[in-house]
Amino acid sequence: MGNLFCCVQVDQSTVAIREQFGKFDEVLEPGCHCLPWFLGKQLAGHLSLRVQQLDVRCETKTKDNVFVTVVASIQYRALAERANDAFYKLSNTRGQIQAYVFDVIRASVPKLLLDDTFEQKNDIAKAVENELEKAMSHYGYEIVQTLIVDIEPDEHVKRAMNEINAAARMRVAATEKAEAEKILQIKRAEGEAESKYLSGLGIARQRQAIVDGLRDSVVGFSENVPGTSAKDVMDMVLVTQYFDTMKEIGASSKSSAVFIPHGPGAVRDVASQIREGLLQANNAH
């Protein structure tokens, strides 16, 4: 109906190409335009100015001969001021962009090792964008953004990479576990050494207290009972301790059989041995 009344409507974010007798005449902006068909003017077509996206999957190999599939996302749009170039110069815009992406990726990735490919994907995207910008600007298109959205190695390569990573992590875990066990053993040994040291101090203090107690008992008994010597008092104390020990052994239900000399002569020998030990302790003290 619009053509019947020589009027045409162009939608927003779109331009129309008008021809006269088959020759480019003018780019029509969004809005309503007069199109006198009887003067040979007609619409050749419309061109969208919206940003479009093209995802390109390119298979190539790295420097270490690993085949990967690189997925690039290209965002582009036609320039309104060069709409005639964008409309007439390219018959297959998406195919042209894809060809340039293939060319750049297959020239860049083979120079990199697999690990470097993942680390330098931004550099690859920048190289693709620069090449596309130079090429597509001649055809009236602008490259808005280029992204490398995925790098997919072969499934066997991915599995091997995961196994290598898992083995490395297990090795680190084993090292840390061994280090922790080493620290525990060192701390345990330090604790045992400290315990033995304190136990030795306790035994030394106990023996010193026994010596001091016996000495005080002998001195006190000699002073309170006239006519007794220190030797007599010491013998009596030792005999008393001897019988107390025998009583405790006999009263214990869990004690094992103990065979010790129990005659008077044996007591005299024990007394002489203890006395000599006490004298040595006093001399040392």
Side-chain angles (χ1 to χ4, degrees):
M1 183 64 67
N3 290 337
L4 181 62
F5 292 100
C6 300
C7 293
V8 65
Q9 175 182 312
V10 180
D11 297 332
Q12 185 65 36
S13 298
T14 306
V15 294
I17 305 299
R18 186 176 67 184
E19 295 179 346
Q20 185 174 15
F21 298 112
K23 182 180 179 181
F24 170 73
D25 180 41
E26 186 181 0
V27 176
L28 303 181
E29 301 289 337
C32 186
H33 300 272
C34 180
L35 192 68
W37 54 269
F38 51 86
L39 296 179
K41 294 187 178 183
Q42 62 179 359
L43 283 181
H46 294 78
L47 182 67
S48 176
L49 300 180
R50 296 178 180 177
V51 175
Q52 303 180 61
Q53 179 168 308
L54 173 63
D55 292 329
V56 181
R57 298 179 62 88
C58 177
E59 184 180 15
T60 183
K61 74 171 184 173
T62 61
K63 188 176 181 180
D64 46 354
N65 295 322
V66 177
F67 281 89
V68 295
T69 299
V70 180
V71 182
S73 180
I74 314 299
Q75 299 175 355
Y76 66 98
R77 66 181 176 186
L79 299 173
E81 62 273 14
R82 300 190 59 187
N84 59 330
D85 291 336
F87 185 81
Y88 287 106
K89 286 188 176 181
L90 284 179
S91 60
N92 185 357
T93 305
R94 299 174 72 87
Q96 185 78 4
I97 292 176
Q98 181 172 312
Y100 278 108
V101 173
F102 279 176
D103 181 67
V104 175
I105 289 179
R106 288 175 176 169
S108 302
V109 174
K111 299 178 182 178
L112 304 173
L113 299 174
L114 180 60
D115 293 340
D116 296 337
T117 304
F118 284 95
E119 295 175 0
Q120 301 182 26
K121 69 173 187 176
N122 290 335
D123 297 337
I124 299 174
K126 192 64 178 178
V128 173
E129 182 176 346
N130 292 338
E131 187 66 24
L132 284 175
E133 188 68 35
K134 290 189 296 182
M136 300 305 294
S137 61
H138 297 295
Y139 302 109
Y141 282 92
E142 176 190 12
I143 304 301
V144 178
Q145 186 72 33
T146 300
L147 302 172
I148 302 297
V149 297
D150 198 7
I151 299 176
E152 303 174 356
D154 183 79
E155 188 64 30
H156 298 289
V157 176
K158 292 170 64 175
R159 189 180 301 113
M161 292 173 65
N162 291 334
E163 290 177 355
I164 292 173
N165 186 270
R169 292 180 181 275
M170 290 178 63
R171 183 167 59 250
V172 172
T175 302
E176 294 296 332
K177 182 179 180 181
E179 188 67 23
E181 292 179 352
K182 174 183 175 183
I183 293 174
L184 287 175
Q185 292 179 0
I186 292 175
K187 292 299 181 182
R188 190 180 297 114
E190 291 177 353
E192 291 178 356
E194 184 68 17
S195 175
K196 291 179 180 179
Y197 172 75
L198 295 176
S199 177
L201 288 180
I203 293 173
R205 290 175 181 175
Q206 180 186 21
R207 291 176 178 175
Q208 185 63 45
I210 292 173
V211 171
D212 294 340
L214 290 174
R215 183 182 64 246
D216 294 341
S217 298
V218 170
V219 172
F221 196 92
S222 299
E223 292 177 352
N224 293 326
V225 180
T228 59
S229 64
K231 179 179 180 301
D232 298 333
V233 176
M234 196 64 185
D235 289 341
M236 185 184 68
V237 170
L238 292 176
V239 171
T240 302
Q241 290 183 345
Y242 173 79
F243 284 110
D244 288 340
T245 303
M246 294 294 293
K247 179 180 177 181
E248 291 179 1
I249 294 175
S252 176
S253 61
K254 297 182 179 180
S255 62
S256 301
V258 179
F259 298 94
I260 58 174
H262 57 278
V267 173
R268 189 180 304 108
D269 293 338
V270 171
S272 62
Q273 293 175 9
I274 295 177
R275 189 182 305 107
E276 291 176 2
L278 292 176
L279 292 175
Q280 293 176 3
N282 287 330
N283 293 331
H285 182 68

